[in-house]
Amino acid sequence: MTKTTPATAFLKRKNVTFETLVYDYDPSVSKLGVHAAAGVGESTDYVFKTLMAEVDGKPVCVVIPVARELSMKKLAAAFSGKSAKMMKPADAERITGFRVGGISPFGQRKQVSTALAREALELPYILTNGGGRGIQVKLAVADALEAMGGGTADLLASAD
């Protein structure tokens, strides 16, 4: 039995069907999302990372595939802004109520505008952080979008 996190409690309150998967979190790895995918035995195509950023100084949340990079230009455009930057880890922890490495798009302390990478629409389900280090939640893309209260957007840097 996995302990309840603010994210899983939020999903339960919203009556969202999800599965919780746990893995051994290792903070020393360079790509935590890729490590999470391997830890739960899923392709990196299905595992998404939660990033906290700022667009024109306002906090936003984006959820993108773990093996891909975020385009700051596309991020700003997705939220009708002029400039975007990654949020400082301490600010992300304060706003979300989660620790870096365990930030979930669900059940954040402060609701902020959220966008899911449009590539998710091609998938039957995604996995994203379940509100704790070493915890992933697996849910249908439509359910994830509804629970996030956001939309989809073109967010990814071009793959080389």
Side-chain angles (χ1 to χ4, degrees):
M1 177 80 186
T2 303
K3 74 175 187 133
T4 299
T5 69
T8 58
F10 174 85
L11 291 171
K12 286 177 186 171
R13 280 195 309 277
K14 295 279 189 181
N15 293 316
V16 173
T17 301
F18 68 95
E19 179 183 349
T20 303
L21 298 108
V22 295
Y23 65 96
D24 290 327
Y25 176 84
D26 181 355
S28 70
V29 299
S30 61
K31 299 222 178 244
L32 287 172
V34 174
H35 168 68
V40 298
E42 279 285 348
S43 163
T44 56
D45 294 340
Y46 291 88
V47 182
F48 283 58
K49 57 188 170 186
T50 306
L51 302 173
M52 298 302 295
E54 295 177 27
V55 174
D56 295 344
K58 295 185 178 123
V60 298
C61 177
V62 292
V63 184
I64 67 169
V66 296
R68 299 290 303 275
E69 296 297 322
L70 178 64
S71 163
M72 290 298 143
K73 185 176 179 181
K74 289 178 180 179
L75 172 61
F79 290 97
S80 302
K82 293 182 180 182
S83 68
K85 66 178 183 177
M86 294 306 298
M87 189 179 288
K88 292 179 182 170
D91 292 339
E93 289 181 345
R94 181 179 44 77
I95 287 170
T96 65
F98 297 114
R99 293 172 60 201
V100 169
I103 294 177
S104 177
F106 311 114
Q108 293 184 2
R109 181 178 291 147
K110 179 181 177 186
Q111 183 66 38
V112 300
S113 296
T114 303
L116 175 64
R118 69 178 181 195
E119 287 76 6
L121 295 175
E122 301 167 12
L123 304 171
Y125 65 87
I126 62 168
L127 284 82
T128 192
N129 197 286
R133 294 174 173 178
I135 302 171
Q136 293 283 306
V137 289
K138 178 180 180 177
L139 66 170
V141 174
D143 290 342
L145 264 173
E146 186 174 332
M148 286 176 197
T152 59
D154 180 12
L155 298 167
L156 302 180
S158 299
D160 293 327

